[in-house]
Amino acid sequence: MSDTRRRVKVYTLNEDRQWDDRGTGHVSSTLCVLGSLLLESKISPNTAYQKQQDTLIVWSEADNYDLALSFQEKAGCDEIWEKICQVQGKDPTLDITQDPIDESEEERFEEIPETSHLVELPPCELSRLEEIADLVTSVLSSPIRREKLALALMSEGYIKKLLGLFRVCEDLDNREGLHHLYEIVRGVLFLNKAALFEVMFSDDCIMDVVGCLEYDPALVQPKRHREFLTKTAKFKEVIPITDSELRQKIHQTYRVQYIQDIILPTPSVFEENFLSTLTSFIFFNKVEIVSMLQEDEKFLTEVFAQLTDEATEDCKRRELVNFVKEFCAFSQTLQPQNRDAFFKTLANLGILPALEIVMGMDDLQVRAAATDIFSYLVEFSPSMVREFVMQEPQQTDDDVLLINVVIKQMICDSDPELGGAVQLMGLLRTLIDPENMLASTNKTEKTEFLSFFYKYCMHVLTAPLLANTAHDNNSKDLQEGSTKIKPVCPDNFQTAQLLALILELLTFCVEHHTYHIKTYIMNKDLLRRVLVLMNSKHTFLALCALRFMRRIIGLKDEYYNRYIIKGNLFEPVINALLDNGTRYNLLNSAIIELFEFIKVEDVKSLIAHIVDNFYKALESIEYVQTFKGLKGRYEQEKDRQSQRLRYRRDARPLDEDEELRMEEELSDSYGKYMEAKKGKLLRTAMVGLVDYPDDEDEEEDEEEEEQSPRKRPRLSS
């Protein structure tokens, strides 16, 4: 055999019956694909190989392991197909070599006389439609009979004859015949043969196939699928497509997808694999469409030129952005290296500046489509998006920065359930996640981007939170050092949901950004503002505020601890606990868990602050031992401090007495001048050694003042 190499893509079928790209290489006649050796498969005499769409060869190995080779050239596919047929002794003009045979099927096959290997089709006449329908339905349970029927249908041009009968039946309003044709066409689709699909989905046949499928016997009135496809579903060319082959492929793919998703009933458990070839047909069509569009540089250049042109009308821009969205969706069928090239092409054409324009439009459909496109880009390369946005401040103001546009769209989501806001929040979290910055070749990406984000974007993100937790400076209840703040307003469900999303993102920042978020919290006194939300009537929002504080305390950072103590920021949490009363709910458990963490981790500064200021209000809570445990920790630490203080007091006079005796001994051996001098030093030292009774009391009083800050008289309810 010759060993001519041909360029191919290798695909495998996954558990979800979707084709996964395995890479590109060159295939030899032994089905060895080189490209870091993607595939090595020996041509087996008993394996069923199928040739589809002139450039595909599909087969199965082992149990449920389907493989496909997609050839760049038809000539390469034909050559390898001839080699396969040569090994198996088959006719290369056929599109399938044989069908898998299980043991029971093989036994029956041996019993069948040689003359009965071919299925004899009844004449294609109106009077024989019932007989044809029974035949097609009966073979579906047998792989061998399905294959023989498919060969018979292909060899006699039978499909086109059946579709001719459909037109006759429809003209005569022959409902019985139309119902039989529905069963026939549905059964032929379930034969799962690519060669039959090529005929049925051709331009001159596909609408008649759809027509047959309108006459389901289970329906009182036929569906109007053809009317929808020809009148309602309009093919909009945002930019004229001059390639007729590309136009035909787009039309065909849309209609076949419609047949699979809308017309055909959901397959039963026994039929779920009958349409695997139909799925493959659609998949490879999409790959071909994306490749053809991507190769047409003039087309894509014109699309993006009009998308970013200020003179473009809104309706036209809406069509353009919907096209780009669908284009990105189709790109998911590409293999990884081709998908990389695809998105880089979009970036070079100006997809990100275009998104800034369309995401700021009033049209909800356009904004939704733009959000989907943005999600494709962020999923593909967060670094590419970050690199773009960091260059923006040099040429624009803060309000129109892409990330700020995204944040504002999240904040202004009109959906009561905030579906779009949730999606955008997830994209923002991906962009600010340091985990996907680590692998970047630019080692300064994390520092530079986070500095950019906190300088230009964080104030936009926190604006709704700060606006809804503003101080009421005129309130008589506002006292120095108090956390009494005007209640959340408005406290409606949609606002609460939005604030919960913002808090979720800020909590993520506390966990992952350390320095930047710490500086921001301190400068804006952010935790005090967040804890106002503990007053919200929406428990989920109060829990979000509590979770934010819990993450901060969980860091065990003394900077944060001093900030909390100085601001007396436990007060709103304890007020919420007391207001909750004896109700045993999630809020109660979450607050107790916060204090339990402080006790278990023995965060001394917080324990002392809590016991000194709030223990009187908490000591009556006895259904958990958390607060008594905090008191115990506090007393233990106080005892240790007292012991340490006594040790220092006892040790100091002993050392000075020893020093005095040594000086007295040395003074005897010196002259009068030295004795006078030593005597003077001794008197000076003795002044410090005298221990007056009142001194100890004063020291204890000072120590007690240091250990016991002034207690608050009572918590405000």
Side-chain angles (χ1 to χ4, degrees):
M1 295 182 183
S2 63
D3 198 29
T4 305
R5 307 295 173 96
R6 296 287 182 177
R7 185 171 175 80
V8 295
K9 300 175 189 175
V10 179
Y11 295 91
T12 58
L13 196 66
N14 61 29
E15 294 179 353
D16 298 325
R17 309 302 296 173
Q18 300 294 322
W19 288 102
D20 292 333
D21 300 310
R22 296 303 182 191
T24 302
H26 292 81
V27 64
S28 71
S29 57
T30 56
L31 291 189
C32 176
V33 180
L34 300 179
S36 301
L37 194 58
L38 296 170
L39 171 69
E40 186 172 11
S41 176
K42 184 178 179 180
I43 299 175
S44 169
N46 299 318
T47 298
Y49 296 89
Q50 292 185 51
K51 187 172 75 166
Q52 302 177 9
Q53 302 182 44
D54 293 332
T55 57
L56 288 172
I57 296 178
V58 183
W59 75 100
S60 297
E61 291 189 358
D63 293 332
N64 299 321
Y65 185 62
D66 294 345
L67 292 158
L69 295 181
S70 176
F71 288 78
Q72 183 173 328
E73 302 174 12
K74 180 179 182 298
C77 182
D78 291 341
E79 181 178 339
I80 297 300
W81 182 249
E82 288 178 5
K83 299 299 183 184
I84 293 172
C85 292
Q86 183 179 339
V87 170
Q88 293 197 344
K90 302 294 182 179
D91 183 358
T93 60
L94 299 177
D95 289 333
I96 185 167
T97 58
Q98 55 190 294
D99 213 51
I101 303 175
D102 58 28
E103 292 182 3
S104 59
E105 195 71 34
E106 190 172 13
E107 290 172 2
R108 291 200 302 272
F109 180 75
E110 291 174 353
E111 296 172 0
I112 300 175
E114 193 70 24
T115 56
S116 64
H117 281 186
L118 295 178
V119 171
E120 184 176 348
L121 290 167
C124 194
E125 300 172 356
L126 287 176
S127 58
R128 310 294 290 271
L129 285 176
E130 183 176 3
E131 185 180 348
I132 299 169
D134 291 341
L135 173 63
V136 172
T137 304
S138 67
V139 305
L140 295 180
S141 60
S142 167
I144 289 181
R145 296 189 68 199
R146 288 206 309 269
E147 176 59 30
K148 289 189 288 187
L149 177 59
L151 291 174
L153 290 170
M154 284 298 299
S155 62
E156 299 181 19
Y158 208 79
I159 298 296
K160 291 190 176 182
K161 295 178 183 177
L162 284 170
L163 296 177
L165 286 181
F166 164 72
R167 291 189 290 272
V168 172
C169 285
E170 198 164 43
D171 290 340
L172 298 173
D173 196 20
N174 182 347
R175 288 302 175 93
E176 183 180 358
L178 292 169
H179 289 162
H180 290 318
L181 282 164
Y182 169 88
E183 299 290 350
I184 293 168
V185 170
R186 179 177 177 274
V188 172
L189 288 173
F190 280 173
L191 292 178
N192 206 28
K193 302 301 175 185
L196 293 175
F197 292 162
E198 293 288 349
V199 176
M200 299 174 76
F201 300 149
S202 61
D203 281 350
D204 55 345
C205 293
I206 189 167
M207 295 310 292
D208 288 333
V209 169
V210 172
C212 291
L213 294 172
E214 291 178 350
Y215 291 93
D216 185 347
L219 301 175
V220 177
Q221 293 295 328
K223 295 288 187 179
R224 296 184 176 181
H225 297 301
R226 285 171 295 174
E227 181 179 334
F228 174 83
L229 289 172
T230 56
K231 296 180 180 179
T232 307
K234 296 294 184 182
F235 176 59
K236 296 180 179 179
E237 294 183 68
V238 291
I239 304 294
I241 297 175
T242 56
D243 188 335
S244 59
E245 183 182 355
L246 175 58
R247 286 170 58 89
Q248 186 274 333
K249 188 70 68 176
I250 292 172
H251 284 303
Q252 183 188 61
T253 304
Y254 176 79
R255 291 165 179 170
V256 176
Q257 186 87 60
Y258 183 86
I259 290 173
Q260 183 186 48
D261 294 344
I262 306 299
I263 300 179
L264 289 178
T266 303
S268 67
V269 175
F270 303 103
E271 300 171 336
E272 59 184 5
N273 293 326
F274 282 4
L275 296 175
S276 59
T277 304
L278 182 61
T279 302
S280 302
F281 185 95
I282 296 169
F283 173 86
F284 290 115
N285 262 18
K286 289 181 177 179
V287 171
E288 195 170 348
I289 289 169
V290 173
S291 300
M292 293 171 75
L293 282 173
Q294 196 175 347
E295 291 168 3
D296 191 340
E297 295 181 1
K298 292 183 179 179
F299 178 83
L300 287 180
T301 302
E302 183 63 23
V303 168
F304 283 94
Q306 291 196 25
L307 193 59
T308 55
D309 188 351
E310 294 181 0
T312 302
E313 296 180 358
D314 288 350
C315 59
K316 179 69 171 180
R317 203 187 310 275
R318 187 182 307 122
E319 294 175 357
L320 288 164
V321 74
N322 282 326
F323 165 78
V324 175
K325 172 191 169 182
E326 192 166 357
F327 194 27
C328 289
F330 271 36
S331 74
Q332 302 306 294
T333 61
L334 297 174
Q335 56 186 350
Q337 58 266 39
N338 288 348
R339 191 159 60 246
D340 290 352
F342 170 81
F343 281 110
K344 287 176 182 176
T345 299
L346 293 188
N348 293 335
L349 289 167
I351 182 66
L352 289 167
L355 283 177
E356 279 185 338
I357 296 173
V358 296
M359 291 185 82
M361 294 178 63
D362 294 332
D363 191 314
L364 294 178
Q365 291 183 349
V366 169
R367 292 213 308 260
T371 299
D372 290 337
I373 297 169
F374 185 65
S375 68
Y376 284 122
L377 294 171
V378 172
E379 180 182 351
F380 162 68
S381 175
S383 291
M384 180 183 76
V385 178
R386 285 192 287 262
E387 183 180 356
F388 169 77
V389 298
M390 281 192 290
Q391 296 170 354
E392 288 186 291
Q394 304 170 9
Q395 49 193 313
T396 185
D397 57 65
D398 292 2
D399 289 339
V400 294
L401 293 176
L402 178 59
I403 291 190
N404 286 346
V405 171
V406 172
I407 293 172
K408 288 176 181 177
Q409 184 170 332
M410 181 184 85
I411 292 171
C412 299
D413 188 3
S414 59
D415 178 9
E417 298 298 325
L418 296 186
V422 172
Q423 181 184 7
L424 289 168
M425 190 273 291
L427 297 176
L428 285 172
R429 185 160 65 177
T430 300
L431 288 174
I432 64 175
D433 186 356
E435 292 297 323
N436 61 47
M437 301 179 195
L438 299 179
S440 173
T441 54
N442 179 6
K443 295 181 180 179
T444 63
E445 180 185 15
K446 176 180 176 180
T447 302
E448 290 180 357
F449 181 76
L450 291 181
S451 297
F452 162 85
F453 181 78
Y454 280 86
K455 180 178 181 180
Y456 295 104
C457 307
M458 183 57 100
H459 68 282
V460 182
L461 177 64
T462 57
L465 176 63
L466 298 177
N468 283 281
T469 56
H471 288 265
D472 183 1
N473 294 322
N474 297 321
S475 175
K476 296 180 181 179
D477 297 325
L478 188 62
Q479 302 172 1
E480 184 179 356
S482 173
T483 54
K484 187 72 176 180
I485 296 176
K486 185 178 180 179
V488 179
C489 182
D491 199 3
N492 59 65
F493 180 72
Q494 189 167 351
T495 301
Q497 277 193 308
L498 175 62
L499 296 178
L501 284 178
I502 294 172
L503 277 176
E504 184 177 342
L505 206 55
L506 291 174
T507 304
F508 177 85
C509 294
V510 168
E511 291 180 294
H512 295 87
H513 293 174
T514 59
Y515 167 75
H516 291 87
I517 188 65
K518 185 192 300 183
T519 303
Y520 191 85
I521 289 173
M522 301 292 186
N523 290 340
K524 298 292 183 181
D525 198 10
L526 189 63
L527 180 56
R528 180 186 303 279
R529 306 294 285 273
V530 168
L531 290 175
V532 174
L533 302 177
M534 296 294 295
N535 298 324
S536 174
K537 66 182 181 182
H538 301 287
T539 305
F540 71 87
L541 182 56
L543 286 167
C544 286
L546 184 65
R547 190 180 303 118
F548 181 70
M549 186 178 190
R550 174 65 176 81
R551 290 293 183 274
I552 290 175
I553 291 175
L555 297 175
K556 296 188 286 187
D557 185 324
E558 279 303 312
Y559 285 100
Y560 276 130
N561 293 346
R562 285 196 291 271
Y563 163 67
I564 291 170
I565 292 170
K566 184 178 179 181
N568 196 29
L569 297 181
F570 276 108
E571 182 178 324
V573 177
I574 293 174
N575 280 338
L577 177 64
L578 298 177
D579 289 344
N580 191 64
T582 58
R583 284 172 291 183
Y584 183 64
N585 52 24
L586 188 56
L587 181 62
N588 175 276
S589 298
I591 294 175
I592 289 175
E593 190 278 332
L594 172 68
F595 290 106
E596 184 70 21
F597 173 83
I598 295 170
K599 183 195 78 173
V600 171
E601 296 296 325
D602 196 17
V603 186
K604 293 180 175 57
S605 59
L606 297 183
I607 291 174
H609 173 72
I610 293 166
V611 173
D612 283 336
N613 292 275
F614 305 110
Y615 188 69
K616 284 186 178 181
L618 298 171
E619 63 181 344
S620 61
I621 299 177
E622 297 181 343
Y623 55 87
V624 290
Q625 298 303 306
T626 300
F627 302 108
K628 292 188 182 302
L630 284 172
K631 177 72 170 176
R633 291 275 193 185
Y634 174 78
E635 297 294 348
Q636 289 173 9
E637 181 62 21
K638 198 170 181 180
D639 290 344
R640 280 195 294 269
Q641 294 289 347
S642 298
Q643 290 174 7
R644 199 173 296 124
L645 181 61
R646 283 196 299 271
Y647 173 78
R648 284 201 300 269
R649 285 208 186 103
D650 292 342
R652 188 177 61 185
L654 177 62
D655 292 342
E656 291 180 353
D657 287 341
E658 289 177 355
E659 184 180 353
L660 176 59
R661 286 194 297 273
M662 289 174 65
E663 288 178 341
E664 288 175 342
E665 291 171 2
L666 288 171
S667 66
D668 294 339
S669 62
Y670 281 79
K672 293 180 179 180
Y673 176 77
M674 293 301 297
E675 285 178 2
K677 188 174 183 179
K678 282 290 182 182
K680 185 178 180 180
L681 291 172
L682 183 60
R683 286 192 300 274
T684 304
M686 288 294 291
V687 173
L689 293 173
V690 177
D691 191 8
Y692 293 99
D694 293 338
D695 288 349
E696 184 173 346
D697 295 337
E698 289 175 4
E699 288 177 359
E700 288 179 357
D701 291 341
E702 290 172 1
E703 188 67 30
E704 186 176 354
E705 286 180 6
E706 289 178 5
Q707 294 297 321
S708 303
R710 178 178 60 85
K711 294 185 180 179
R712 295 180 60 81
R714 192 167 182 272
L715 291 183
S716 58
S717 58

